[in-house]
């Protein structure tokens, strides 16, 4: 056995659209706990090195939601893309938690917490932007080309992770993202707990703040349901449109009549996101 | 409001692939309880009357599993097919249950029970073959053309329902069906409880027994994973192949290398089942 493979355990392995939907358990240094991560290997991965799309899920989710509900494997198999979907927070008995679905486990917000008791484990940004891609590159042969996407809290995570790490991803997209967590209740509750009361420190984790200083013009696609139950209170995509407009940053914002916040919405349009990302991922550099 | 609509309550209504994934609650006379049934309306249903594919799920499932995990709506929208997916057993506090996942609630086996305490509610055949289609035809405008499919226990249900009701369906398919419940542990346990110890009475609910006397040559497609964990113990598709061969009944049995019993398997091939059923459903009669 390759020594590189001894720090992982494959806990699911299921044939799917000619490839394999796997789930691994591995020890994360950044999070100081064991993490599950889902990896879809398209059939093309047996013949050549494929690009990788990272997917970040929303509040309450684990690595399972996207792989069971989005129907993404069909498109990944069509285009030859590896899809990596991690869990949404550190896990385990030693990890602090809170009452409610929007703080603590299942609600990591893809940032690095600075406040006790969260700072010991809640370092999801370090995990998704550094440790996880390193782990993937060490264990899953791939082309090195990366894109990132996500839903709701994970849409925020995708936007912030791409904006904070120029050069790391070729394109970024999101479904129903929390575009400006500093301005809405979900983000304000989480940021106050994880980052403390200094609201200046919050700006480093807000896509609408980051876009003003973006060092690259990354292709950016956002899908948003017009009947999303969180549209006005938590999502407010017009803030991202205004920030991109002010910064001269590209944005393809697609408002979808009748669609809500659910995976039925994601499933309906995830195929278009694969096409969007493949335009960048298939380019030779 | 149309008076016909007063005996139903729409409890979910979600935009999906240009159509609507709905779930209704309605009162079933056959089962003497309230039932949930999922109905996908493709976008074409706004313009014309579409055919209906009935889907029967397997052990432990509700009306939710197929609609959240199979990715079928994309194909239903492509082809213009209404998809109806009922729950797998009667439900509610008044309904008898048993320990274990393979008898009682979530394990109705799509038959009409004759033994106490089951006979009062467990009349799933009467429900899926008569009451549910009548309810659909009364409430959901459609072309009148029907097909039926299902998974595992629901694969058994689809085969038996089609064979017991000649002329009712234009085609039948199944994923990983229990082809001969009288010969395997799942079926023997359920049939002993629901139908009693007279094994002659069991034969009326066994596809391999029914096929010998089939009054029509219904197009029949079966998909089966070769790495299905229940293949040898509970499924034994070779029994169906032998029964069809002996009866001169058509059967397209597709053994799929590497695939297991999960919804990843169903998702991978459900598109082919839509193509199969559409060959019959799109014909004018």
């Amino acid at each position: 056995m390759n020594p590189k493979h001894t720090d992982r355990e494959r806990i699911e392995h299921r044939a799917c659209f000619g490839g394999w939907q796997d789930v691994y358990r591995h020890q994360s240094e950044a999070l100081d706990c064991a993490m599950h991560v889902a990896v879809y290997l398209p059939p093309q991965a047996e013949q050549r090195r494929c690009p990788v799309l990272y997917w970040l899920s929303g509040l309450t989710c684990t690595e399972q939601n996207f792989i069971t509900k989005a129907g993404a494997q069909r498109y990944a198999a069509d285009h030859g893309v590896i899809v990596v979907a991690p869990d949404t927070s550190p896990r385990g008995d030693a990890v602090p938690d809170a009452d409610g679905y929007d703080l603590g486990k299942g609600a990591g917000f893809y940032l690095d917490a600075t406040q006790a008791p969260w700072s010991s484990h809640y370092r999801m940004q370090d995990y998704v932007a550094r440790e996880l891609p390193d782990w993937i590159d060490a264990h899953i042969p791939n082309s090195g080309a990366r894109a990132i996407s996500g839903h709701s809290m994970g849409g925020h995570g995708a936007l912030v992770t791409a904006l904070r790490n120029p050069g790391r991803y070729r394109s970024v997209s999101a479904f129903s993202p929390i575009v400006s967590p500093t301005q809405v209740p979900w983000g304000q509750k989480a940021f106050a707990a994880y980052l403390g009361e200094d609201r200046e420190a919050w700006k480093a984790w807000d896509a609408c703040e980051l876009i003003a200083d973006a060092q690259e013009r990354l292709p950016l696609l956002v899908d948003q349901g017009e009947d999303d139950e969180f549209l006005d209170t938590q999502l407010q995509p017009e803030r991202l449109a205004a920030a991109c407009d002010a910064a001269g940053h590209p944005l393809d914002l697609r408002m979808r009549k009748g669609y809500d916040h659910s995976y039925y919405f994601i499933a309906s349009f995830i195929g278009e996101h694969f096409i969007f990302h493949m335009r960048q991922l298939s380019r030779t550099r």
Side-chain angles (χ1 to χ4, degrees), chain A residues 91-160:
Chain A
R91 300 284 180 179
D93 293 342
V95 172
D97 201 2
D99 290 338
Y101 69 95
D102 53 1
L103 187 66
K105 291 180 187 174
F109 271 84
Y110 304 102
L111 52 70
D112 292 335
T114 58
Q115 306 297 303
W118 311 104
S119 52
S120 56
H121 290 280
Y122 285 77
R123 301 187 59 78
M124 283 296 290
Q125 178 66 198
D126 191 26
Y127 177 68
V128 300
R130 183 193 59 78
E131 186 181 19
L132 179 61
D134 285 352
W135 186 88
I136 290 291
D137 292 350
H139 295 303
I140 310 289
N142 68 80
S143 75
R146 299 186 191 102
I148 190 165
S149 186
H151 175 233
S152 195
M153 176 184 76
H156 144 76
L159 295 171
V160 163

Coordinates of all heavy atoms in Angstrom, one line a residue, chain A residues 91-160:
Chain A
R91 N -16.3 17.9 13.6 CA -17.2 16.9 14.2 C -16.6 16.2 15.3 O -15.3 16.1 15.4 CB -17.7 15.9 13.1 CG -18.4 16.5 11.9 CD -19.8 16.9 12.2 NE -20.4 17.5 11.0 CZ -21.7 17.9 11.0 NH1 -22.4 17.9 12.1 NH2 -22.2 18.4 9.9
G92 N -17.4 15.6 16.2 CA -16.9 14.7 17.3 C -17.2 15.3 18.6 O -17.6 16.4 18.8
D93 N -17.2 14.4 19.6 CA -17.5 14.8 21.0 C -16.7 15.9 21.6 O -17.2 16.7 22.4 CB -17.5 13.6 21.9 CG -18.5 12.5 21.6 OD1 -19.5 12.8 20.9 OD2 -18.3 11.4 22.0
A94 N -15.4 16.0 21.1 CA -14.6 17.1 21.7 C -14.8 18.4 21.1 O -14.2 19.4 21.5 CB -13.1 16.7 21.4
V95 N -15.6 18.5 20.0 CA -15.8 19.8 19.3 C -17.0 20.5 19.9 O -18.1 20.0 20.1 CB -16.1 19.5 17.8 CG1 -16.5 20.7 17.1 CG2 -14.9 18.8 17.2
P96 N -16.8 21.8 20.3 CA -17.9 22.6 20.9 C -19.1 22.7 19.9 O -18.9 22.7 18.7 CB -17.2 24.0 21.0 CG -15.8 23.8 20.9 CD -15.5 22.6 20.1
D97 N -20.2 22.9 20.5 CA -21.4 23.0 19.7 C -22.3 24.0 20.4 O -22.0 24.6 21.4 CB -22.2 21.6 19.6 CG -23.1 21.5 18.5 OD1 -23.2 22.5 17.7 OD2 -23.8 20.5 18.3
A98 N -23.5 24.3 19.7 CA -24.4 25.3 20.3 C -25.8 24.8 20.0 O -26.0 24.0 19.1 CB -24.2 26.7 19.7
D99 N -26.8 25.3 20.7 CA -28.2 25.1 20.4 C -28.5 25.8 19.1 O -27.9 26.8 18.7 CB -29.1 25.6 21.5 CG -29.0 24.8 22.7 OD1 -28.5 23.6 22.7 OD2 -29.3 25.3 23.8
G100 N -29.4 25.2 18.3 CA -29.8 25.9 17.1 C -29.0 25.3 15.9 O -27.9 24.8 16.1
Y101 N -29.5 25.5 14.7 CA -28.9 24.9 13.5 C -27.9 25.8 12.9 O -27.2 25.4 12.0 CB -30.0 24.6 12.5 CG -30.6 25.9 11.9 CD1 -30.1 26.4 10.7 CD2 -31.6 26.5 12.5 CE1 -30.7 27.5 10.1 CE2 -32.2 27.7 12.0 CZ -31.7 28.2 10.8 OH -32.2 29.4 10.3
D102 N -27.8 27.1 13.4 CA -27.0 28.1 12.6 C -25.7 28.5 13.3 O -25.1 29.5 13.0 CB -27.9 29.3 12.3 CG -28.6 29.9 13.5 OD1 -28.4 29.3 14.6 OD2 -29.3 30.9 13.4
L103 N -25.3 27.7 14.3 CA -24.0 27.9 15.0 C -23.5 26.6 15.5 O -24.2 25.8 15.9 CB -24.2 28.9 16.2 CG -22.9 29.4 16.9 CD1 -22.1 30.3 15.9 CD2 -23.2 30.2 18.1
G104 N -22.1 26.4 15.4 CA -21.5 25.2 15.9 C -21.5 24.1 14.8 O -21.4 24.4 13.6
K105 N -21.7 22.9 15.2 CA -21.7 21.8 14.2 C -22.7 22.0 13.1 O -23.8 22.3 13.3 CB -21.9 20.5 15.0 CG -20.7 20.1 15.9 CD -21.0 18.8 16.6 CE -19.9 18.6 17.6 NZ -20.1 17.4 18.5
G106 N -22.2 21.7 11.9 CA -23.1 21.9 10.7 C -23.2 23.3 10.3 O -23.9 23.7 9.4
A107 N -22.4 24.2 11.0 CA -22.5 25.7 10.7 C -21.2 26.3 10.8 O -21.0 27.4 11.5 CB -23.5 26.3 11.6
G108 N -20.1 25.8 10.2 CA -18.8 26.3 10.3 C -18.5 27.6 9.6 O -17.5 28.2 9.9
F109 N -19.3 27.9 8.7 CA -19.2 29.2 7.9 C -17.9 29.4 7.2 O -17.5 30.4 6.7 CB -19.5 30.4 8.8 CG -21.0 30.8 8.8 CD1 -21.8 30.1 9.7 CD2 -21.5 31.7 7.9 CE1 -23.2 30.4 9.7 CE2 -22.9 32.0 7.9 CZ -23.7 31.3 8.8
Y110 N -17.1 28.3 7.1 CA -15.9 28.3 6.2 C -14.9 29.4 6.6 O -14.2 30.0 5.7 CB -16.3 28.3 4.7 CG -17.2 27.2 4.4 CD1 -18.6 27.3 4.3 CD2 -16.7 25.9 4.3 CE1 -19.4 26.2 4.0 CE2 -17.5 24.8 4.1 CZ -18.9 25.0 3.9 OH -19.7 23.9 3.7
L111 N -14.8 29.7 7.9 CA -13.9 30.8 8.4 C -13.0 30.1 9.4 O -13.2 29.0 9.8 CB -14.6 32.0 8.9 CG -15.7 31.8 10.0 CD1 -15.2 31.3 11.3 CD2 -16.6 33.1 10.1
D112 N -12.0 30.9 9.9 CA -11.1 30.5 11.0 C -11.5 31.3 12.2 O -11.2 32.5 12.3 CB -9.6 30.8 10.6 CG -9.2 29.9 9.5 OD1 -9.7 28.8 9.3 OD2 -8.2 30.3 8.7
A113 N -12.1 30.6 13.2 CA -12.6 31.3 14.4 C -11.4 31.7 15.2 O -10.4 31.1 15.3 CB -13.5 30.3 15.2
T114 N -11.6 32.9 15.9 CA -10.6 33.4 16.7 C -11.0 33.4 18.2 O -10.2 33.7 19.1 CB -10.3 34.9 16.3 OG1 -11.5 35.7 16.4 CG2 -9.8 35.0 14.9
Q115 N -12.3 33.2 18.5 CA -12.8 33.3 19.8 C -13.0 31.9 20.5 O -13.5 31.0 19.8 CB -14.2 34.0 19.8 CG -14.1 35.4 19.1 CD -13.2 36.4 19.8 OE1 -13.4 36.6 21.0 NE2 -12.2 36.9 19.1
A116 N -12.8 31.9 21.8 CA -13.1 30.7 22.6 C -14.6 30.5 22.7 O -15.3 31.5 22.7 CB -12.5 30.8 24.0
P117 N -15.1 29.3 22.7 CA -14.4 28.0 22.6 C -14.2 27.5 21.2 O -13.7 26.4 21.0 CB -15.4 27.1 23.3 CG -16.7 27.6 22.9 CD -16.6 29.1 22.8
W118 N -14.5 28.4 20.2 CA -14.6 27.9 18.8 C -13.2 27.8 18.2 O -13.0 27.0 17.3 CB -15.4 28.9 18.0 CG -16.8 29.1 18.6 CD1 -17.1 30.3 19.3 CD2 -17.9 28.2 18.7 NE1 -18.4 30.2 19.8 CE2 -18.9 28.9 19.5 CE3 -18.1 26.9 18.3 CZ2 -20.1 28.3 19.8 CZ3 -19.3 26.4 18.6 CH2 -20.3 27.0 19.3
S119 N -12.2 28.6 18.6 CA -11.0 28.7 17.9 C -10.2 27.4 17.9 O -9.3 27.3 17.0 CB -10.2 29.9 18.5 OG -10.0 29.8 19.9
S120 N -10.4 26.5 18.8 CA -9.6 25.3 18.8 C -9.9 24.4 17.7 O -9.0 23.6 17.3 CB -9.8 24.6 20.2 OG -11.2 24.3 20.4
H121 N -11.2 24.3 17.2 CA -11.5 23.4 16.1 C -12.1 24.1 14.9 O -11.9 23.6 13.8 CB -12.6 22.4 16.6 CG -12.1 21.4 17.6 ND1 -11.4 20.3 17.3 CD2 -12.2 21.4 19.0 CE1 -11.1 19.6 18.4 NE2 -11.6 20.3 19.4
Y122 N -12.7 25.2 15.0 CA -13.5 25.8 13.9 C -12.5 26.6 13.0 O -12.5 27.8 13.0 CB -14.6 26.6 14.4 CG -15.8 25.7 14.9 CD1 -15.7 25.1 16.1 CD2 -16.9 25.5 14.1 CE1 -16.8 24.3 16.5 CE2 -17.9 24.7 14.5 CZ -17.9 24.1 15.7 OH -18.9 23.3 16.1
R123 N -11.7 25.9 12.2 CA -10.8 26.5 11.3 C -11.1 26.0 9.9 O -10.2 25.4 9.2 CB -9.4 26.2 11.7 CG -9.1 26.7 13.1 CD -7.6 26.6 13.5 NE -6.7 27.4 12.6 CZ -6.6 28.7 12.6 NH1 -7.2 29.4 13.5 NH2 -5.8 29.3 11.7
M124 N -12.3 26.1 9.5 CA -12.8 25.5 8.2 C -12.1 26.2 7.0 O -12.0 25.5 6.0 CB -14.3 25.6 8.1 CG -15.1 24.6 9.0 SD -14.8 22.9 8.5 CE -15.7 22.8 6.9
Q125 N -11.8 27.4 7.1 CA -11.1 28.0 5.9 C -9.7 27.4 5.7 O -9.4 27.1 4.6 CB -10.9 29.6 6.1 CG -10.2 30.3 5.0 CD -10.9 30.2 3.7 OE1 -10.4 30.5 2.6 NE2 -12.2 30.0 3.7
D126 N -9.0 27.2 6.8 CA -7.7 26.6 6.7 C -7.9 25.2 6.1 O -7.1 24.7 5.3 CB -7.0 26.5 8.0 CG -5.6 26.1 8.0 OD1 -4.9 26.3 6.9 OD2 -5.1 25.6 9.0
Y127 N -9.0 24.5 6.5 CA -9.2 23.2 6.0 C -9.6 23.2 4.5 O -9.0 22.5 3.7 CB -10.3 22.5 6.8 CG -10.8 21.2 6.4 CD1 -9.9 20.1 6.5 CD2 -12.0 20.9 5.8 CE1 -10.3 18.8 6.1 CE2 -12.4 19.7 5.4 CZ -11.5 18.6 5.5 OH -11.9 17.4 5.1
V128 N -10.6 23.9 4.1 CA -11.1 23.8 2.7 C -10.2 24.5 1.7 O -10.1 24.1 0.6 CB -12.5 24.4 2.6 CG1 -13.5 23.6 3.4 CG2 -12.6 25.9 2.8
A129 N -9.4 25.5 2.2 CA -8.6 26.2 1.2 C -7.2 25.6 1.1 O -6.5 25.8 0.1 CB -8.5 27.7 1.6
R130 N -6.7 25.0 2.2 CA -5.3 24.5 2.2 C -5.2 23.0 2.4 O -4.8 22.2 1.6 CB -4.5 25.2 3.3 CG -3.0 24.9 3.4 CD -2.4 25.3 4.6 NE -3.0 24.9 5.9 CZ -2.8 23.6 6.4 NH1 -2.0 22.8 5.8 NH2 -3.4 23.3 7.5
E131 N -5.7 22.6 3.6 CA -5.4 21.2 4.0 C -6.1 20.2 3.1 O -5.6 19.2 2.6 CB -5.8 20.9 5.4 CG -5.4 19.5 5.9 CD -5.8 19.3 7.4 OE1 -6.7 20.0 7.9 OE2 -5.3 18.3 8.0
L132 N -7.4 20.5 2.8 CA -8.2 19.5 2.0 C -7.6 19.4 0.5 O -7.4 18.3 0.0 CB -9.7 19.9 2.0 CG -10.6 19.0 1.1 CD1 -10.6 17.5 1.6 CD2 -12.0 19.5 1.1
P133 N -7.4 20.6 -0.1 CA -6.8 20.4 -1.5 C -5.4 19.7 -1.5 O -5.1 18.9 -2.4 CB -6.6 21.9 -2.0 CG -7.6 22.7 -1.1 CD -7.7 22.0 0.2
D134 N -4.6 20.0 -0.4 CA -3.3 19.3 -0.3 C -3.6 17.8 -0.2 O -2.9 17.0 -0.8 CB -2.5 19.8 0.9 CG -1.9 21.1 0.7 OD1 -2.0 21.6 -0.5 OD2 -1.4 21.7 1.7
W135 N -4.6 17.4 0.6 CA -4.9 16.0 0.9 C -5.4 15.4 -0.4 O -5.0 14.3 -0.8 CB -5.9 15.9 2.0 CG -6.2 14.5 2.4 CD1 -5.5 13.8 3.4 CD2 -7.2 13.6 1.9 NE1 -6.1 12.5 3.5 CE2 -7.1 12.4 2.6 CE3 -8.2 13.8 0.9 CZ2 -8.0 11.3 2.3 CZ3 -9.0 12.7 0.6 CH2 -8.9 11.5 1.3
I136 N -6.3 16.1 -1.1 CA -6.8 15.6 -2.4 C -5.6 15.4 -3.4 O -5.5 14.3 -4.0 CB -7.8 16.5 -3.0 CG1 -9.1 16.5 -2.2 CG2 -8.1 16.2 -4.5 CD1 -9.9 15.2 -2.3
D137 N -4.8 16.4 -3.5 CA -3.7 16.3 -4.5 C -2.7 15.2 -4.1 O -2.1 14.6 -5.0 CB -2.9 17.6 -4.6 CG -3.8 18.7 -5.2 OD1 -4.9 18.4 -5.7 OD2 -3.4 19.9 -5.1
A138 N -2.6 14.9 -2.8 CA -1.7 13.8 -2.4 C -2.3 12.4 -2.7 O -1.6 11.4 -2.9 CB -1.3 13.9 -0.9
H139 N -3.6 12.3 -2.7 CA -4.3 11.0 -2.7 C -5.1 10.7 -4.0 O -5.3 9.5 -4.3 CB -5.2 10.9 -1.5 CG -4.5 10.9 -0.2 ND1 -3.5 10.0 0.1 CD2 -4.6 11.7 0.9 CE1 -3.1 10.2 1.3 NE2 -3.7 11.2 1.8
I140 N -5.5 11.7 -4.6 CA -6.4 11.5 -5.8 C -5.7 12.2 -7.0 O -5.7 13.4 -7.1 CB -7.8 12.2 -5.6 CG1 -8.4 11.8 -4.2 CG2 -8.7 11.9 -6.8 CD1 -8.9 10.4 -4.2
P141 N -5.2 11.4 -7.9 CA -4.6 12.0 -9.1 C -5.5 12.9 -9.8 O -6.7 12.5 -10.0 CB -4.2 10.7 -9.9 CG -4.1 9.6 -9.0 CD -5.1 9.9 -7.9
N142 N -5.1 14.1 -10.1 CA -5.9 15.1 -10.8 C -5.1 16.0 -11.6 O -3.8 16.1 -11.5 CB -6.8 15.8 -9.8 CG -6.1 16.7 -8.9 OD1 -5.7 17.9 -9.2 ND2 -5.8 16.3 -7.7
S143 N -5.7 16.9 -12.4 CA -5.0 17.7 -13.4 C -4.4 19.0 -12.7 O -3.6 19.7 -13.3 CB -5.9 18.2 -14.5 OG -6.8 19.2 -14.0
G144 N -4.8 19.3 -11.5 CA -4.3 20.5 -10.8 C -5.3 21.7 -11.0 O -5.1 22.7 -10.3
A145 N -6.2 21.6 -11.9 CA -7.1 22.7 -12.2 C -8.3 22.6 -11.2 O -8.9 21.5 -11.1 CB -7.6 22.7 -13.6
R146 N -8.6 23.7 -10.5 CA -9.7 23.7 -9.5 C -10.7 24.7 -9.8 O -10.4 25.8 -10.2 CB -9.1 24.0 -8.1 CG -8.0 23.1 -7.6 CD -7.7 23.5 -6.1 NE -6.5 22.8 -5.7 CZ -5.3 23.3 -5.6 NH1 -5.1 24.6 -6.0 NH2 -4.3 22.6 -5.3
A147 N -12.0 24.4 -9.4 CA -13.0 25.3 -9.4 C -13.8 25.1 -8.0 O -13.5 24.1 -7.4 CB -14.0 25.1 -10.5
I148 N -14.6 26.1 -7.7 CA -15.3 25.9 -6.4 C -16.7 26.5 -6.5 O -17.0 27.4 -7.2 CB -14.5 26.6 -5.3 CG1 -15.0 26.3 -3.9 CG2 -14.4 28.1 -5.5 CD1 -14.1 26.6 -2.7
S149 N -17.6 25.8 -5.8 CA -19.0 26.2 -5.8 C -19.6 25.8 -4.5 O -19.0 25.1 -3.6 CB -19.8 25.5 -6.9 OG -21.1 25.9 -7.1
G150 N -20.8 26.2 -4.2 CA -21.5 25.9 -3.0 C -22.9 26.4 -2.9 O -23.3 27.2 -3.8
H151 N -23.6 26.1 -1.8 CA -25.0 26.5 -1.6 C -25.2 27.2 -0.3 O -24.8 26.7 0.7 CB -25.9 25.2 -1.6 CG -27.3 25.4 -1.3 ND1 -28.0 24.7 -0.4 CD2 -28.2 26.3 -1.9 CE1 -29.2 25.1 -0.4 NE2 -29.4 26.1 -1.3
S152 N -25.8 28.4 -0.4 CA -26.2 29.1 0.9 C -25.0 29.4 1.7 O -24.1 30.2 1.2 CB -27.3 28.2 1.6 OG -27.9 29.0 2.6
M153 N -24.9 28.9 2.9 CA -23.6 29.1 3.7 C -22.4 28.7 2.9 O -21.3 29.3 2.9 CB -23.7 28.4 5.0 CG -22.4 28.5 5.8 SD -22.4 27.5 7.4 CE -22.2 25.8 6.7
G154 N -22.6 27.6 2.1 CA -21.5 27.1 1.3 C -21.3 28.0 0.0 O -20.2 28.0 -0.5
G155 N -22.3 28.7 -0.4 CA -22.1 29.7 -1.5 C -21.2 30.8 -1.0 O -20.3 31.3 -1.6
H156 N -21.6 31.3 0.2 CA -20.7 32.2 0.9 C -19.2 31.7 1.0 O -18.3 32.3 0.7 CB -21.2 32.6 2.3 CG -20.2 32.7 3.4 ND1 -19.4 33.9 3.5 CD2 -19.8 31.9 4.4 CE1 -18.6 33.7 4.6 NE2 -18.8 32.5 5.1
G157 N -19.1 30.4 1.4 CA -17.8 29.8 1.6 C -17.1 29.7 0.2 O -15.9 30.0 0.2
A158 N -17.8 29.4 -0.8 CA -17.1 29.3 -2.1 C -16.6 30.7 -2.6 O -15.5 30.9 -3.0 CB -18.1 28.8 -3.2
L159 N -17.5 31.7 -2.4 CA -17.1 33.1 -2.8 C -15.9 33.6 -2.0 O -14.9 34.1 -2.6 CB -18.3 34.0 -2.6 CG -19.5 33.8 -3.5 CD1 -20.7 34.7 -3.1 CD2 -19.2 34.0 -5.0
V160 N -16.0 33.5 -0.7 CA -14.9 34.0 0.2 C -13.6 33.2 0.0 O -12.5 33.8 -0.1 CB -15.4 33.9 1.6 CG1 -14.2 34.0 2.6 CG2 -16.4 35.0 1.9

